[in-house]
Amino acid sequence: MKFHSIALAALAAVAAPAFATVQTGGTIGQAEYVFIATNAAGSYFQDLGTSTDAVAALMNSTGSFSQSVAGTEWNKFLAFGGTGTTWAIIAAQPLDVGFNPGEINAWTTRNVNQPLGTIQNSQSNDGTNNLATWFLQADNAANPKVADNRQAAAFGTPTYFDNGVTSFNGFFNARNTVGTAAQMVYLTPSSDTSDAPSQYNVLANSVGNAYTANFDGTNVTITAAVPEPSSYAMLAAGLAAVGFMVRRRKA
């Protein structure tokens, strides 16, 4: 699919009917995270029902987000019988069709072996728009139309998420095996040059602790360690000691 057709389809998600529960529009930071599990027999899609901004607030407070996949649709996915399941957590938010920072946005896990700084602006944009389109298709196929959609899809059906969808069309692998922790990053264009490397930021909380995502086969988690009160006390004591030594040397 050509870039412009993908972009138009993705922008349609912004004006999608009310039952399209995965938020891909609004203002930056309102995009919702989606959990995707995939193998050769089928795929599983779960709207986690929380925005990138909401998760950021959690990472700065409790330092933890968790949601179970248990239920009818997950049991359907397991019944497909596939092996070698990989998973990803992704939020896609195409707000325009250009290459300026903030116009096309993705918050995503990355494979433990996926280097940063290698995906180009056009590749990141196309992959993000493609994801937004697939999210819309999954919502439209939901029956009944419910908030926080969960959906299992057999291989070969229209809403099956193949590995290409969660690897930004093959240019950035967001998937990891079950039980393998993953770092999370933010991708957006860096400039109006289509083949320039995309801008990326490793997601971290306000004290610099990077987000760690994982899936243990039942629970989807995102964590960022928050220092204990004792840690703050030790930091304050250390700063006080440094200040004392500086004053002493000046004296």
Side-chain angles (χ1 to χ4, degrees), residues 14-25:
V14 177
F19 62 75
T21 60
V22 176
Q23 177 65 268
T24 59

Side-chain angles (χ1 to χ4, degrees), residues 129-149:
N129 280 307
N130 195 29
L131 282 156
T133 301
W134 276 82
F135 293 169
L136 175 61
Q137 290 174 344
D139 271 332
N140 285 341
N143 186 18
K145 311 299 186 187
V146 294
D148 302 339
N149 179 22

Side-chain angles (χ1 to χ4, degrees), residues 127-186:
T128 302
N129 280 307
N130 195 29
L131 282 156
T133 301
W134 276 82
F135 293 169
L136 175 61
Q137 290 174 344
D139 271 332
N140 285 341
N143 186 18
K145 311 299 186 187
V146 294
D148 302 339
N149 179 22
R150 301 182 180 206
Q151 186 177 115
F155 171 77
T157 58
T159 52
Y160 169 74
F161 280 79
D162 64 26
N163 288 342
V165 177
T166 50
S167 64
F168 290 74
N169 302 330
F171 294 107
F172 185 93
N173 187 2
R175 307 182 315 278
N176 281 277
T177 57
V178 176
T180 299
Q183 192 178 58
M184 299 192 70
V185 297
Y186 166 67

Side-chain angles (χ1 to χ4, degrees), residues 70-84:
T72 301
E73 292 300 310
W74 181 251
N75 289 340
K76 287 182 183 177
F77 170 71
L78 295 178
F80 295 147
T83 59

Side-chain angles (χ1 to χ4, degrees), residues 31-59:
E32 289 185 322
Y33 281 114
V34 170
F35 170 77
I36 304 165
T38 302
N39 58 44
S43 65
Y44 176 79
F45 165 99
Q46 182 167 322
D47 176 4
L48 295 179
T50 189
S51 69
T52 59
D53 275 356
V55 168
L58 282 175
M59 296 304 102

Side-chain angles (χ1 to χ4, degrees), residues 167-251:
S167 64
F168 290 74
N169 302 330
F171 294 107
F172 185 93
N173 187 2
R175 307 182 315 278
N176 281 277
T177 57
V178 176
T180 299
Q183 192 178 58
M184 299 192 70
V185 297
Y186 166 67
L187 297 174
T188 194
S190 60
S191 67
D192 59 3
T193 303
S194 63
D195 60 355
S198 287
Q199 174 183 322
Y200 70 88
N201 298 95
V202 175
L203 294 178
N205 64 11
S206 58
V207 294
N209 295 316
Y211 294 12
T212 298
N214 210 337
F215 176 58
D216 62 7
T218 302
N219 295 303
V220 180
T221 59
I222 304 173
T223 58
V226 177
E228 298 291 334
S230 58
S231 298
Y232 283 117
M234 290 177 64
L235 176 61
L239 291 173
V242 169
F244 173 77
M245 292 300 295
V246 170
R247 288 193 301 272
R248 184 175 181 182
R249 287 177 181 177
K250 287 183 178 180

Side-chain angles (χ1 to χ4, degrees), residues 83-99:
T83 59
T85 297
T86 58
W87 63 274
I89 301 171
I90 305 174
Q93 192 173 33
L95 299 176
D96 210 326
V97 294
F99 292 100

